[in-house]
Amino acid sequence: MRQELITFAFAAVIFLLFIWRVRGGYACGMMQELVNVLSGACALVCVALVLIAVSSAANRSMHILTVCIVALVLLGICFKICRLIFTPLLAVGNISIVSGINKLLGAVLGAAEACVLAFLFYKVFRYFGIYLF
């Protein structure tokens, strides 16, 4: 009974996540969804690099600290270049003919994002020994 309850709760959360991301993707459009996903991934990489840099500074491992700082600078440069690329593309998404397609593709991208998040949640639960299915 407990296992079935956990499975049902997981399925309900995944369903709500799916609805939330599809609705958000439709509201924002595909280009804004790509920017959001890119920004989130960049933020996660930055956090990981900062944590590695702090731990390497605590261990007095200067070569790892140097690599982390260089990687953070390069990531910042790449993020600026991507911002320069996506700014005109976001403006094109506001054209009335392209807007409908942009919103539909945003919903599809939101669904794909929800599937990836569901897979990651499933893997995390499996790692901690919570078997859902």
Side-chain angles (χ1 to χ4, degrees), residues 21-113:
R21 289 313 316 142
V22 168
R23 186 172 179 264
Y26 182 79
C28 292
M30 182 184 74
M31 290 301 161
Q32 186 62 44
E33 277 292 308
L34 282 174
V35 169
N36 292 343
V37 168
L38 181 66
S39 296
C42 188
L44 285 176
V45 170
C46 284
V47 167
L49 285 173
V50 167
L51 290 175
I52 292 170
V54 167
S55 68
S56 65
N59 294 335
R60 299 184 192 270
S61 178
M62 293 304 148
H63 62 283
I64 295 175
L65 179 65
T66 306
V67 169
C68 288
I69 291 172
V70 169
L72 280 170
V73 169
L74 290 176
L75 192 64
I77 292 170
C78 289
F79 191 71
K80 265 308 210 195
I81 291 171
C82 288
R83 184 175 175 200
L84 289 173
I85 292 170
F86 277 112
T87 300
L89 290 177
L90 290 173
V92 170
N94 293 330
I95 299 173
S96 63
I97 296 172
V98 180
S99 179
I101 297 169
N102 187 29
K103 287 186 178 291
L104 181 65
L105 290 175
V108 170
L109 190 62
E113 184 182 354

